[in-house]
Amino acid sequence: MRDFFPGLAGVPAAKSTISFVDGLKGILEYRGISIETLARQSSFTETAFLLLFNRLPTKPELTQFHADLTQHRRIKYKICDLLKCLPESGHPMDALQSAVAALGMFYPVADVTNESTRYWTAVRLIAKLPTIVAAFARVRRGDEPIVPRDDLSYAENFLYMLTEKIPEPALANIFDICLILHAEHTMNASTFSGLVTASTLADPYTVIASAIGTLEGPLHGGANEAVIHMLENIGSVEQVPAYLERTLGTKGKIMGFGHRIYKVKDPRAIILQDLVQQLDAHPDTNTLFTIARAVEQEMEKRIGQKGIRPNVDFYSGIIYHRMGIETDLFTPLFAISRVAGWLAHCFEQYQDNHLFRPDQIYEGPHNRPYQPLEGRTTLKNEEGKVRGKG
Ligand code: SDX
């Protein structure tokens, strides 16, 4: 009998030097540098350079990379028009995926192995995703997109394009740290999805569109949005035990908890929790945060021994909510950061490519007869309904 690993749990899909996770010790490193160090000392722009080029940039290199990203923040008016044609009630992740796939039509990539092409494709994607997210957030309300500014940092500019106000430096700094924390995480589902697409030698825009689609799901990047809805649904600290009793009792999932690799608290959740406390001089007045803390304490009592603890999505939404960012933009925020990690893995795949084509364990029938149409009868199930109909 051949071994089968549902969800490819524990099965190495690639060799990589980009990031490392120890799920028992709660360690996360980007190119060998700990996430705690990067959150304390780096910037998202510098971290993106580190992920893409496997080294920290020199001062001139960082200045040039920032200048290149700044120069490419604007999006073509046809991309804005495309966003205006999408349904206002559509999810911003679907708008982002549509716009990124369209972006690739304006910048066709002839040769994915060409180093210069790869550099400028990475610059355009890292620079333009925030502009696309902010633009859709505005056009769906009937407002014109706000033109990016060249005199603002990456984090300041995104918040400016969203709110038309230049954020306080402390707020922009906290947002920049959130971008660092979400930039990369070994072989997660969206990275794997991008790798499969890259292994066909599809261009990086198509690879990123694949990864964005995968990130959207509530078991992956969509969890940060689901956490806020859960905390609002719980409503008060007093309701936490009953909510957990009801949800866990019916085998439901508590959003923002659990991880395929971490069996301790996600090191990113530890930093994000601290950022909430930095944001709120009196965190106890932040209702969502006090409910979240109560959920964490109650979950530890109930299923902590199973290694189900807060992951990156548990506290991140509370920060974005506190910044006044709309909840359905939380997963797109994850995407504008993770595009750096997705691109690093995409380029690593191109370097030594093997098409992803796994096998399966077939459990179906063989040699079934073909019944002529006239002789077929509709099968009814126990309730007398035609089988196979909704
Ligand atoms: C991200 O992979 C990455 O690195 C992803 C990510 C990244 O940076 O890219 O870290 C970002 O996606 C974080 C995860 C965000 N998702 C959620 O918060 C959704 C809730 N979490 C669960 O759906 C779950 O924990 C997963 C999907 C994250 C991981 O699940 P696994 O490894 O597939 O494990 P499983 O679902 O089979 O659960 C194993 C057991 C089950 O109980 P038993 O059937 O064995 O009794 O643990 C239980 C599950 O019911 N369990 C949970 C739970 N997570 C697992 N029970 C309640 N609440 C949860 N959140």
Side-chain angles (χ1 to χ4, degrees):
M1 179 67 176
R2 295 166 64 188
D3 286 340
F4 172 56
F5 303 91
L8 294 178
V11 176
K15 289 182 177 177
S16 178
T17 61
I18 298 169
S19 64
F20 168 76
V21 168
D22 181 320
L24 298 179
K25 295 179 185 161
I27 293 171
L28 170 57
E29 296 169 337
Y30 293 172
R31 298 290 191 185
I33 302 176
S34 81
I35 195 69
E36 292 79 6
T37 303
L38 291 169
R40 216 178 18 257
Q41 303 187 47
S42 187
S43 67
F44 174 66
T45 303
E46 181 180 77
T47 299
F49 188 101
L50 171 68
L51 290 169
L52 287 168
F53 304 108
N54 193 10
R55 59 185 173 81
L56 291 169
T58 60
K59 192 167 171 50
E61 284 174 329
L62 184 58
T63 304
Q64 187 58 54
F65 188 54
H66 172 72
D68 291 341
L69 288 172
T70 302
Q71 188 196 339
H72 286 274
R73 286 172 174 171
R74 287 160 183 74
I75 54 178
K76 292 191 178 295
Y77 79 86
K78 286 189 175 178
I79 296 288
C80 287
D81 290 352
L82 178 142
L83 293 173
K84 288 175 183 172
C85 293
L86 298 175
E88 295 83 355
S89 57
H91 197 284
M93 280 295 276
D94 297 324
L96 180 60
Q97 187 181 35
S98 309
V100 167
L103 208 54
M105 299 165 78
F106 291 98
Y107 308 102
V109 173
D111 172 9
V112 296
T113 60
N114 177 293
E115 199 152 327
S116 168
T117 305
R118 286 215 306 262
Y119 176 78
W120 289 110
T121 304
V123 163
R124 285 197 178 95
L125 281 161
I126 295 171
K128 294 180 191 300
L129 259 63
T131 310
I132 293 168
V133 171
F136 182 69
R138 300 235 350 140
V139 300
R140 68 174 174 179
R141 290 199 302 259
D143 295 332
E144 277 303 308
I146 294 171
V147 177
R149 281 180 52 163
D150 297 349
D151 59 334
L152 301 177
S153 74
Y154 189 93
E156 286 169 335
N157 179 59
F158 175 74
L159 294 173
Y160 165 74
M161 291 190 295
L162 211 51
T163 63
E164 213 162 6
K165 289 196 296 287
I166 297 177
E168 297 154 36
L171 214 60
N173 180 53
I174 284 175
F175 184 65
D176 196 62
I177 294 171
C178 290
L179 293 172
I180 292 172
L181 295 173
H182 286 83
E184 160 63 13
H185 207 254
T186 73
M187 200 49 64
N188 58 86
S190 53
T191 294
F192 179 56
S193 169
L195 274 196
V196 173
T197 306
S199 79
T200 70
L201 296 186
D203 68 271
Y205 296 96
T206 307
V207 168
I208 300 306
S210 295
I212 291 169
T214 308
L215 185 69
E216 182 169 355
L219 295 189
H220 190 13
N224 58 14
E225 178 181 343
V227 166
I228 296 298
H229 295 317
M230 174 183 76
L231 296 175
E232 288 170 341
N233 181 14
I234 292 173
S236 71
V237 171
E238 293 70 26
Q239 290 303 316
V240 167
Y243 179 87
L244 295 186
E245 189 65 33
R246 208 169 43 248
T247 308
L248 298 174
T250 53
K251 293 297 283 175
K253 295 283 173 61
I254 303 302
M255 290 294 138
F257 272 79
H259 200 278
R260 180 62 60 80
I261 310 294
Y262 290 120
K263 300 312 165 195
V264 294
K265 189 167 180 177
D266 187 325
R268 299 167 295 180
I270 294 171
I271 299 171
L272 288 161
Q273 181 182 338
D274 179 56
L275 291 178
V276 175
Q277 287 161 310
Q278 280 181 37
L279 256 184
D280 283 335
H282 307 286
D284 52 333
T285 60
N286 178 328
T287 313
L288 290 179
F289 186 59
T290 49
I291 296 172
R293 294 290 296 127
V295 168
E296 182 176 357
Q297 284 149 17
E298 191 67 25
M299 280 288 279
E300 185 58 30
K301 279 191 278 183
R302 289 167 182 266
I303 56 175
Q305 77 287 350
K306 289 178 76 174
I308 299 164
R309 294 196 165 95
N311 60 49
V312 67
D313 290 310
F314 190 57
Y315 288 109
S316 56
I318 297 173
I319 294 172
Y320 302 145
H321 186 271
R322 179 69 182 62
M323 289 181 173
I325 298 172
E326 293 157 288
T327 305
D328 66 0
L329 296 178
F330 292 3
T331 309
L333 298 188
F334 198 143
I336 67 176
S337 163
R338 185 56 58 89
V339 68
W342 289 331
L343 285 164
H345 282 277
C346 172
F347 296 161
E348 191 174 60
Q349 179 69 28
Y350 287 155
Q351 300 281 30
D352 177 19
N353 187 46
H354 295 278
L355 176 73
F356 275 94
R357 203 291 183 206
D359 199 351
Q360 63 166 16
I361 295 173
Y362 179 68
E363 296 183 321
H366 293 286
N367 307 318
R368 276 174 73 181
Y370 178 82
Q371 287 173 323
L373 185 58
E374 298 66 31
R376 295 174 204 160
T377 52
T378 47
L379 295 173
K380 292 190 189 307
N381 59 23
E382 298 69 49
E383 297 89 50
K385 288 204 181 94
V386 174
R387 189 176 295 176
K389 286 224 168 169

